[in-house]
Amino acid sequence: MKLFFLSLTFCSIGFYATAQRTIDQRVDSVLKLMTLDEKIGQMNQYNDDWNATGPVTLDSTKRQQLRNGQLGSLLNCVGTRRTRVWQEVAMQSRLKIPLLFGQDVIHGYKTTFPIPLAEAASWDLEAIELSARIAATEASSAGVHWTFAPMVDIARDPRWGRVMEGAGEDPYLGSKIAFARVKGFQGNGLGNTNAVMACAKHFAAYGAAIGGRDYNSVDMSERMLWEVYLPPFKAAVDAGAATFMNAFNDLNGVPATGNRYLQRDILKGKWKFNGFVVSDWGSIGEMIQHGNVKNEYEAALSAVTAGSDMDMESRCYRNNLAQGVKDKKVPVRLIDDAVRRILRKKFELGLFDDPFRFCDAQREQAALNNPAHTAAARQVAAKSIVLLKNEKNLLPLSKNTKTIAFIGPLVKPKKQNKGFWDVEVPGVDSNFIVSQWEGLQNKVGNTATLLYAKGCDIEGDDRSGFAEAIEVAKKSDVVILSIGERRDMSGEAKSRSNINIPGVQEDLLKELLATGKPVVVLINAGRPLVFDYTAEHAPAILYTWWLGSEAGNAIADVLFGDYNPSAKLPISFPRSVGQVPIYYSHFNTGRPAGNDDDKNYRSAYNDLSIYPQYEFGYGLSYTTFQYSNLELSKRKMRIHEKIEVSVTIRNTGAYDGEDVVQLYLRDKVGSVVRPVQELKDFAKVKLKAGESKTLRFVIDKEKLSFYNQPLQWVAEPGDFELMIGASARDIRLRDRFELVQ
Ligand code: NOJ
């Protein structure tokens, strides 16, 4: 690399780097040297030749383009060996501008953590940050500079396959998690070799796709956009996210990719975001299908004007921007602005000082074989498991249980536990994943007999395995049944109209229950599934999502009480697909239904409960918690004052455990109507059996504010109801206060 700087200095073309010069000066000194073609080159990102995560464009000239300075970034290129080879090609270009390697490191690199929705269920911001930190440590050691995460789209429709990738339905929880994930990925800041650039996506409102169909249009009020869908993105900016990705959807008729209001006015204007925006895969060209532009030339112009700095895969920039500049349709200052943003990040990452600084094979080897990562994955996985039901304290299982039947199509497969968006790491065999069967074996050793039967497939109507499963169940003291979705049933382009537990899996449960044996059901999925029968009849249910590399061990830890479940749902679980979308923070309407007996002339379905199957914030523990002594420091608050809220929580059961205490507010009268409840704070607290603690929360103006009719962020004087709950529905304590002029 030294040679690079020397040669440039000796060529006296006025570019050399010294640590003293600010990054902006260094960026400008490079920009000055660049031809228009090289500038546009920086705005291009292509897929490597393998492992595509979108429709592939065959292109055998990528290397030559890179040598010509016509490529700024590659995605789906991982591993020190492969990234080094490409970076060497970049070093053959005239200006030797290093390539950026981007990758979907969504829930872990080699060590796979629970899918993001599952992790969100932990409500444990430290654990979530740690998981992102470890993912970044591993990915950066393997040549990756940039992860396309976190996905911070609020999602309220479980039919949408990508619900698995975010933090659920709530803007407050979603914002906290967005912040934690960005911090985790970027660690102590770009420039450290264990930090990767975060990418908040998909800007914006992609999660509100009509009908939950992926890539679909979004039509929403400006208030909904600002109050619900934008806050997690703002939190990502506040956390210092280096990049943003725009989205496939149109928002109120304007494709997000060509949406100037979103990218220039809000993100780069109002929020002063100084990173760069990448398009989604091919989304610039897709504006033609949207019917918003005529051809690729117009698509490129629209996207660059709107503020999309880098074109992922569509090649619209490559093939059209120069002409746009020539035609005076694209001012060069727009191109310069985009290129500056991209180069700035390359400097911040230290790539101009050493383009191979992320290509250290020894570091890669050490980072990808770190037992501390495995231990963390096990802990985070256990924290993500939600105990939905536990009749007669069937769980935790006694360690003296003699014979256990472990039944179901998800008991033995390993890879299913990885979930969607795992990374295929070169040279790594997916067998390092601990299957559910192995986890149970590890736990019980020789102390119990484990019996296995598959019972049925995930899909299809084949019942031929039922008989064996029933036989096995009859021989056991307790049955554990592992059912759910396949890992590729939730994810990108995996929207479903039917979100019931697929196939005959619930029929198998019926048969097993008929044996009279106690049955614990594990539900593996990437989204809230509908499982009426199971919810009603199974005595114990654990929602195990897709938990990653350590799934088996974590599940066994929870089954036997070595970890007491503490997770709470980050999204409402509907009773049937007809209830979708259902979310806790809805408006009251003029004819609210009070309960299921009060539905006449009310806003409710005649044929369904008004309640979800399991509400936002719900999740049980092996112990019980009692809330008391709710106190407010005052009951009248002036706008710049604060109210301190304190509440005592006591572990009243027999096990040590953690609870998530949730604080909700309701603004009783607003100039625009306000939700019946809004989460405004929470605390995850760990208590030994019998122990109690007093928690303190602070209510300030920010927590009382909303967007009024002219969309100003205001807190209006009046009455507020304060609720402290163990879920959105399980409100244990209430009080009121007034905001006064
Ligand atoms: C399309 C997805 O929408 C996006 O989230 C992902 O980062 C890109 N493909 C790259 O794989």
Side-chain angles (χ1 to χ4, degrees), residues 716-735:
E716 293 179 347
D719 289 335
F720 288 81
E721 189 177 351
L722 181 145
M723 293 155 262
I724 301 285
S727 78
R729 200 176 156 195
D730 184 6
I731 299 300
R732 308 277 180 88
L733 300 166
R734 290 173 196 268
D735 210 329

mmCIF file of all heavy atoms in Angstrom, residues 716-735:
data_model
loop_
_atom_site.group_PDB
_atom_site.id
_atom_site.type_symbol
_atom_site.label_atom_id
_atom_site.label_comp_id
_atom_site.label_asym_id
_atom_site.label_seq_id
_atom_site.Cartn_x
_atom_site.Cartn_y
_atom_site.Cartn_z
ATOM 1 N N GLU A 716 -49.993 18.435 24.225
ATOM 2 C CA GLU A 716 -51.153 19.281 24.506
ATOM 3 C C GLU A 716 -51.576 19.130 25.964
ATOM 4 O O GLU A 716 -51.640 17.998 26.487
ATOM 5 C CB GLU A 716 -52.319 18.879 23.599
ATOM 6 C CG GLU A 716 -52.055 19.193 22.141
ATOM 7 C CD GLU A 716 -53.217 18.782 21.221
ATOM 8 O OE1 GLU A 716 -54.118 18.030 21.659
ATOM 9 O OE2 GLU A 716 -53.198 19.205 20.058
ATOM 10 N N PRO A 717 -51.884 20.229 26.609
ATOM 11 C CA PRO A 717 -52.341 20.153 27.996
ATOM 12 C C PRO A 717 -53.574 19.267 28.108
ATOM 13 O O PRO A 717 -54.383 19.192 27.175
ATOM 14 C CB PRO A 717 -52.706 21.604 28.334
ATOM 15 C CG PRO A 717 -51.979 22.433 27.344
ATOM 16 C CD PRO A 717 -51.837 21.600 26.106
ATOM 17 N N GLY A 718 -53.714 18.627 29.243
ATOM 18 C CA GLY A 718 -54.880 17.771 29.461
ATOM 19 C C GLY A 718 -54.513 16.557 30.286
ATOM 20 O O GLY A 718 -53.400 16.449 30.821
ATOM 21 N N ASP A 719 -55.459 15.628 30.353
ATOM 22 C CA ASP A 719 -55.290 14.445 31.207
ATOM 23 C C ASP A 719 -54.588 13.292 30.490
ATOM 24 O O ASP A 719 -54.863 13.026 29.312
ATOM 25 C CB ASP A 719 -56.670 13.938 31.640
ATOM 26 C CG ASP A 719 -57.302 14.891 32.630
ATOM 27 O OD1 ASP A 719 -56.547 15.617 33.313
ATOM 28 O OD2 ASP A 719 -58.541 14.931 32.694
ATOM 29 N N PHE A 720 -53.765 12.620 31.240
ATOM 30 C CA PHE A 720 -53.076 11.429 30.734
ATOM 31 C C PHE A 720 -53.314 10.271 31.692
ATOM 32 O O PHE A 720 -53.347 10.473 32.908
ATOM 33 C CB PHE A 720 -51.567 11.675 30.623
ATOM 34 C CG PHE A 720 -51.197 12.592 29.508
ATOM 35 C CD1 PHE A 720 -51.302 13.969 29.657
ATOM 36 C CD2 PHE A 720 -50.767 12.094 28.293
ATOM 37 C CE1 PHE A 720 -50.977 14.828 28.616
ATOM 38 C CE2 PHE A 720 -50.440 12.935 27.238
ATOM 39 C CZ PHE A 720 -50.549 14.308 27.406
ATOM 40 N N GLU A 721 -53.468 9.108 31.117
ATOM 41 C CA GLU A 721 -53.570 7.915 31.946
ATOM 42 C C GLU A 721 -52.236 7.187 31.872
ATOM 43 O O GLU A 721 -51.639 7.081 30.785
ATOM 44 C CB GLU A 721 -54.683 7.026 31.392
ATOM 45 C CG GLU A 721 -55.001 5.875 32.308
ATOM 46 C CD GLU A 721 -56.164 5.032 31.791
ATOM 47 O OE1 GLU A 721 -56.822 5.441 30.813
ATOM 48 O OE2 GLU A 721 -56.379 3.966 32.372
ATOM 49 N N LEU A 722 -51.775 6.737 33.013
ATOM 50 C CA LEU A 722 -50.497 6.020 33.053
ATOM 51 C C LEU A 722 -50.776 4.573 33.462
ATOM 52 O O LEU A 722 -51.535 4.334 34.403
ATOM 53 C CB LEU A 722 -49.591 6.708 34.074
ATOM 54 C CG LEU A 722 -48.196 6.137 34.257
ATOM 55 C CD1 LEU A 722 -47.222 7.269 34.528
ATOM 56 C CD2 LEU A 722 -48.131 5.130 35.394
ATOM 57 N N MET A 723 -50.205 3.651 32.727
ATOM 58 C CA MET A 723 -50.454 2.234 33.012
ATOM 59 C C MET A 723 -49.123 1.498 33.167
ATOM 60 O O MET A 723 -48.227 1.681 32.335
ATOM 61 C CB MET A 723 -51.211 1.596 31.832
ATOM 62 C CG MET A 723 -52.609 2.114 31.645
ATOM 63 S SD MET A 723 -53.194 1.915 29.924
ATOM 64 C CE MET A 723 -52.890 3.553 29.287
ATOM 65 N N ILE A 724 -49.038 0.695 34.197
ATOM 66 C CA ILE A 724 -47.848 -0.148 34.364
ATOM 67 C C ILE A 724 -48.324 -1.580 34.183
ATOM 68 O O ILE A 724 -49.249 -2.028 34.867
ATOM 69 C CB ILE A 724 -47.235 0.016 35.777
ATOM 70 C CG1 ILE A 724 -46.845 1.464 36.037
ATOM 71 C CG2 ILE A 724 -46.067 -0.941 35.979
ATOM 72 C CD1 ILE A 724 -45.601 1.939 35.327
ATOM 73 N N GLY A 725 -47.700 -2.275 33.232
ATOM 74 C CA GLY A 725 -48.208 -3.601 32.929
ATOM 75 C C GLY A 725 -47.129 -4.634 32.690
ATOM 76 O O GLY A 725 -45.952 -4.319 32.493
ATOM 77 N N ALA A 726 -47.595 -5.882 32.685
ATOM 78 C CA ALA A 726 -46.721 -6.998 32.340
ATOM 79 C C ALA A 726 -46.919 -7.358 30.874
ATOM 80 O O ALA A 726 -46.248 -8.236 30.335
ATOM 81 C CB ALA A 726 -47.034 -8.193 33.213
ATOM 82 N N SER A 727 -47.885 -6.691 30.227
ATOM 83 C CA SER A 727 -48.096 -6.773 28.785
ATOM 84 C C SER A 727 -49.033 -5.623 28.455
ATOM 85 O O SER A 727 -49.499 -4.914 29.361
ATOM 86 C CB SER A 727 -48.747 -8.106 28.388
ATOM 87 O OG SER A 727 -50.139 -8.067 28.673
ATOM 88 N N ALA A 728 -49.338 -5.454 27.176
ATOM 89 C CA ALA A 728 -50.235 -4.349 26.815
ATOM 90 C C ALA A 728 -51.622 -4.563 27.411
ATOM 91 O O ALA A 728 -52.353 -3.617 27.665
ATOM 92 C CB ALA A 728 -50.316 -4.235 25.299
ATOM 93 N N ARG A 729 -51.973 -5.835 27.645
ATOM 94 C CA ARG A 729 -53.305 -6.101 28.175
ATOM 95 C C ARG A 729 -53.298 -6.319 29.682
ATOM 96 O O ARG A 729 -54.280 -6.008 30.368
ATOM 97 C CB ARG A 729 -53.855 -7.351 27.464
ATOM 98 C CG ARG A 729 -55.335 -7.441 27.565
ATOM 99 C CD ARG A 729 -55.871 -8.620 26.784
ATOM 100 N NE ARG A 729 -57.139 -9.005 27.345
ATOM 101 C CZ ARG A 729 -57.738 -10.146 27.110
ATOM 102 N NH1 ARG A 729 -57.181 -11.031 26.296
ATOM 103 N NH2 ARG A 729 -58.890 -10.416 27.668
ATOM 104 N N ASP A 730 -52.222 -6.863 30.161
ATOM 105 C CA ASP A 730 -52.135 -7.205 31.584
ATOM 106 C C ASP A 730 -51.633 -5.981 32.360
ATOM 107 O O ASP A 730 -50.484 -5.925 32.808
ATOM 108 C CB ASP A 730 -51.175 -8.393 31.728
ATOM 109 C CG ASP A 730 -51.087 -8.876 33.159
ATOM 110 O OD1 ASP A 730 -51.844 -8.373 34.013
ATOM 111 O OD2 ASP A 730 -50.228 -9.756 33.421
ATOM 112 N N ILE A 731 -52.515 -4.993 32.483
ATOM 113 C CA ILE A 731 -52.147 -3.758 33.172
ATOM 114 C C ILE A 731 -52.393 -3.963 34.668
ATOM 115 O O ILE A 731 -53.511 -4.262 35.084
ATOM 116 C CB ILE A 731 -52.972 -2.570 32.629
ATOM 117 C CG1 ILE A 731 -52.688 -2.374 31.129
ATOM 118 C CG2 ILE A 731 -52.665 -1.296 33.421
ATOM 119 C CD1 ILE A 731 -51.247 -2.087 30.769
ATOM 120 N N ARG A 732 -51.358 -3.809 35.450
ATOM 121 C CA ARG A 732 -51.463 -4.111 36.886
ATOM 122 C C ARG A 732 -51.757 -2.864 37.721
ATOM 123 O O ARG A 732 -52.380 -2.952 38.758
ATOM 124 C CB ARG A 732 -50.159 -4.732 37.390
ATOM 125 C CG ARG A 732 -49.662 -5.932 36.591
ATOM 126 C CD ARG A 732 -50.340 -7.206 37.039
ATOM 127 N NE ARG A 732 -49.863 -8.345 36.271
ATOM 128 C CZ ARG A 732 -48.795 -9.074 36.597
ATOM 129 N NH1 ARG A 732 -48.073 -8.767 37.659
ATOM 130 N NH2 ARG A 732 -48.450 -10.104 35.851
ATOM 131 N N LEU A 733 -51.239 -1.725 37.284
ATOM 132 C CA LEU A 733 -51.413 -0.503 38.083
ATOM 133 C C LEU A 733 -51.725 0.664 37.146
ATOM 134 O O LEU A 733 -51.200 0.730 36.030
ATOM 135 C CB LEU A 733 -50.117 -0.188 38.854
ATOM 136 C CG LEU A 733 -49.619 -1.260 39.834
ATOM 137 C CD1 LEU A 733 -48.183 -0.961 40.253
ATOM 138 C CD2 LEU A 733 -50.527 -1.364 41.055
ATOM 139 N N ARG A 734 -52.578 1.559 37.627
ATOM 140 C CA ARG A 734 -52.953 2.724 36.803
ATOM 141 C C ARG A 734 -52.927 3.977 37.655
ATOM 142 O O ARG A 734 -53.192 3.925 38.856
ATOM 143 C CB ARG A 734 -54.387 2.594 36.290
ATOM 144 C CG ARG A 734 -54.581 1.542 35.265
ATOM 145 C CD ARG A 734 -56.084 1.404 34.975
ATOM 146 N NE ARG A 734 -56.304 0.159 34.272
ATOM 147 C CZ ARG A 734 -56.310 0.038 32.938
ATOM 148 N NH1 ARG A 734 -56.142 1.109 32.183
ATOM 149 N NH2 ARG A 734 -56.494 -1.127 32.374
ATOM 150 N N ASP A 735 -52.697 5.096 37.003
ATOM 151 C CA ASP A 735 -52.829 6.392 37.677
ATOM 152 C C ASP A 735 -53.078 7.435 36.593
ATOM 153 O O ASP A 735 -53.108 7.096 35.407
ATOM 154 C CB ASP A 735 -51.559 6.712 38.488
ATOM 155 C CG ASP A 735 -51.881 7.579 39.703
ATOM 156 O OD1 ASP A 735 -52.843 8.372 39.609
ATOM 157 O OD2 ASP A 735 -51.183 7.448 40.714
#
